[in-house]
Amino acid sequence: MRRRRAAVAAGFCASFLLGSVLNVLFAPGSEPPRPGQSPGPSPAPGPGRRGGRGELARQIRARYEEVQRYSRGGPGPGAGRPERRRLMDLAPGGPGLQRPRPPRARPLPDGAPGWPPAPGPGSSGSGPRLGCAALRNVSGAQYVGSGYTKAVYRVRLPGGAAVALKAVDFSGHDLGSCVREFGARRGCYRLAAHKLLKEMVLLERLRHPNVLQLYGYCYQDSEDIPDTLTTITELGAPVEMIQLLQTSWEDRFRICLSLGRLLHHLAHSPLGSVTLLDFRPRQFVLVDGELKVTDLDDARVEETPCTSSTDCILEFPARNFTLPCSAQGWCEGMNEKRNLYNAYRFFFTYLLPHSAPPSLRPLLDSIVNATGELTWGVDETLAQLEKVLHLYQSGQYLQNATAGGRAEYQRLPGSTIPQEDYRCWPSYHHGSCLLSVFNVAEAVDVCESHAQCQAFVVTNQTTWTGRQLVFFKTGWSHVVPDPNKTTYVRASLT
């Protein structure tokens, strides 16, 4: 694993981290050649496959046509008037397209589209802005991870902003298996890079608060392959389920709400209903507490064709579902239902009910059960998640709480208790008991429910729902001034 990471890191540095040693690769270049120029070299057919050159060209064209459909399909955000030139044609430099030097004339496999691509019609106007110039003096490169096709790195731009760079992993399975089959490194790179290009187009077309932001892209020569593609995106933190289970219910609910809003957007996107064929926590990241999808190269828009309901079986490891076949010959809602059940089995069932406020548990259980049985679609699921948010944010979930048996608490404004902490779970702070409350009455209820609690300190900090953060204490023997906090102590210690 260390050797693999070292190899990937070396390839990345050669491609993207153009510091003092590799600065020549980012020297300003001329405009790309215009359409009609010979666009690229012909890879040799693989040694173990007859007709490999034609098969590789067929696969490249199939991926190109998929990218073209997504680029032109529907009036997506930022889309301009469709242009006549093909997405993959070589064209004069457009928005965000910068290249260090023009490629030499190189023939392509028979029937393969040109490379590199020009920006699609959706990228004009409000499209991405960062290009190769933004990467000339990046610093602090860190390997984040890699998958079947891509490697991801974290870098810091000259202005200080941290971004993620994605590129085809030269040591990855996708490129390696293709080279072994066809023996054509450049052609295989182009095949793999179309997945990155597809993701780039979808990030732009599906823009939404829960879709990772695309900041830009760059073409540059790398190793023996010209015009390699790098995408520049928003940086997020990996989703670690074990860590999430140790966070507050409020933060876990935020992730589920983010996912519900994302699935609603995908079901009603300008491209049609989009399904995530590779739906796992690793395909998402967290940005300031919000869940965002980052990996879209395995997304699909087309619904499944059918002649009867027997063609509409939605298969999962634990169970299967049979969906109706519409009169138009498509499985009804299969893309939407696939996303929803995956949300249930990877997120909702673990994050929604556990340690939730008791009065919200029945509604949360209904959401989990309905998504697990696919009795609801994404519209109803999101409506119920938004209802939970309203009840929680407005404090209505506290209406059934009683004040009977409460102790009296004395208010000490402008003060805090610096020590006398105890641990509780879940807490916003590992070394103390820091929880969010709707109001002081709820803080009293929490303190009364903890045997060791004798006081609490209300801070001026709030969570994403506007709830106040409160420290709960074992005593109040040492109270000190603090203008930003208010201390409440039990009127009589027993």
Side-chain angles (χ1 to χ4, degrees), residues 117-129:
S123 65
S124 60
S126 58
R129 292 291 181 265

Side-chain angles (χ1 to χ4, degrees), residues 170-212:
F170 285 97
S171 301
H173 182 277
D174 204 358
L175 185 62
S177 61
C178 176
V179 171
R180 286 191 296 272
E181 181 175 7
F182 298 110
R185 183 172 167 85
R186 294 185 183 182
C188 286
Y189 171 82
R190 194 152 57 247
L191 181 66
H194 274 74
K195 296 182 71 173
L196 184 60
L197 180 62
K198 171 186 172 181
E199 179 175 277
M200 183 177 76
V201 169
L202 288 178
L203 288 175
E204 179 68 8
R205 296 304 306 249
L206 298 175
R207 279 182 288 167
H208 182 266
N210 298 112
V211 175
L212 200 72

Side-chain angles (χ1 to χ4, degrees), residues 254-322:
R254 184 181 188 182
I255 291 172
C256 295
L257 179 63
S258 299
L259 185 55
R261 290 170 174 171
L262 170 65
L263 297 191
H264 182 270
H265 173 65
L266 294 180
H268 303 284
S269 84
L271 299 176
S273 181
V274 179
T275 191
L276 306 178
L277 297 178
D278 190 1
F279 194 119
R280 291 173 293 170
R282 64 178 296 177
Q283 313 304 116
F284 299 85
V285 294
L286 292 174
V287 180
D288 297 328
E290 286 281 332
L291 188 73
K292 299 194 177 192
V293 64
T294 178
D295 199 332
L296 290 173
D297 59 358
D298 287 314
R300 189 181 71 186
V301 174
E302 297 81 7
E303 291 281 10
T304 302
C306 61
T307 56
S308 68
S309 60
T310 57
D311 299 322
C312 301
I313 299 177
L314 199 53
E315 297 181 345
F316 297 97
R319 63 177 303 179
N320 298 335
F321 299 89
T322 300

Side-chain angles (χ1 to χ4, degrees), residues 246 248 416-436 446 450 452-453 455-457 459 461 469-474 485:
Q246 302 175 40
S248 68
T416 188
I417 304 172
Q419 299 179 350
E420 301 184 77
D421 289 306
Y422 66 92
R423 293 182 179 181
C424 64
W425 186 89
S427 172
Y428 285 94
H429 190 278
H430 293 297
S432 60
C433 186
L434 179 62
L435 304 175
S436 72
V446 172
H450 293 178
Q452 63 271 57
C453 182
F456 58 88
V457 178
T459 73
Q461 296 177 303
L469 289 175
V470 176
F471 285 98
F472 294 89
K473 303 287 185 172
T474 60
K485 296 182 176 66

Side-chain angles (χ1 to χ4, degrees), residues 12-37:
F12 173 78
C13 289
S15 303
F16 314 115
L17 306 183
L18 305 172
S20 58
V21 177
L22 302 177
N23 192 50
V24 64
L25 292 180
F26 270 112
S30 61
E31 293 292 329
R34 297 183 178 276
Q37 286 186 267

Side-chain angles (χ1 to χ4, degrees), residues 11-175:
F12 173 78
C13 289
S15 303
F16 314 115
L17 306 183
L18 305 172
S20 58
V21 177
L22 302 177
N23 192 50
V24 64
L25 292 180
F26 270 112
S30 61
E31 293 292 329
R34 297 183 178 276
Q37 286 186 267
S38 183
S42 175
R49 180 170 185 144
R50 291 188 61 185
R53 175 177 174 178
E55 173 61 20
L56 178 57
R58 186 196 66 78
Q59 293 185 23
I60 292 174
R61 175 160 292 280
R63 289 191 181 176
Y64 148 66
E65 291 172 350
E66 181 185 30
V67 173
Q68 187 184 47
R69 288 196 305 274
Y70 295 153
S71 178
R72 295 184 181 276
R81 184 174 60 86
E83 302 174 31
R84 291 186 176 275
R85 60 180 169 82
R86 299 186 309 167
L87 174 69
M88 307 300 291
D89 279 343
L90 293 170
L97 178 60
Q98 304 175 46
R99 298 184 355 179
R101 62 177 70 88
R104 297 183 302 272
R106 297 179 282 264
L108 292 169
D110 294 338
W115 183 269
S123 65
S124 60
S126 58
R129 292 291 181 265
L130 297 182
C132 297
L135 304 182
R136 287 176 185 165
N137 296 299
V138 296
S139 61
Q142 296 179 2
Y143 172 84
V144 175
S146 57
Y148 189 83
T149 304
K150 303 184 294 277
V152 183
Y153 282 78
R154 169 196 173 114
V155 300
R156 193 166 294 279
L157 299 179
V163 298
L165 301 185
K166 287 187 179 184
V168 172
D169 186 356
F170 285 97
S171 301
H173 182 277
D174 204 358
L175 185 62

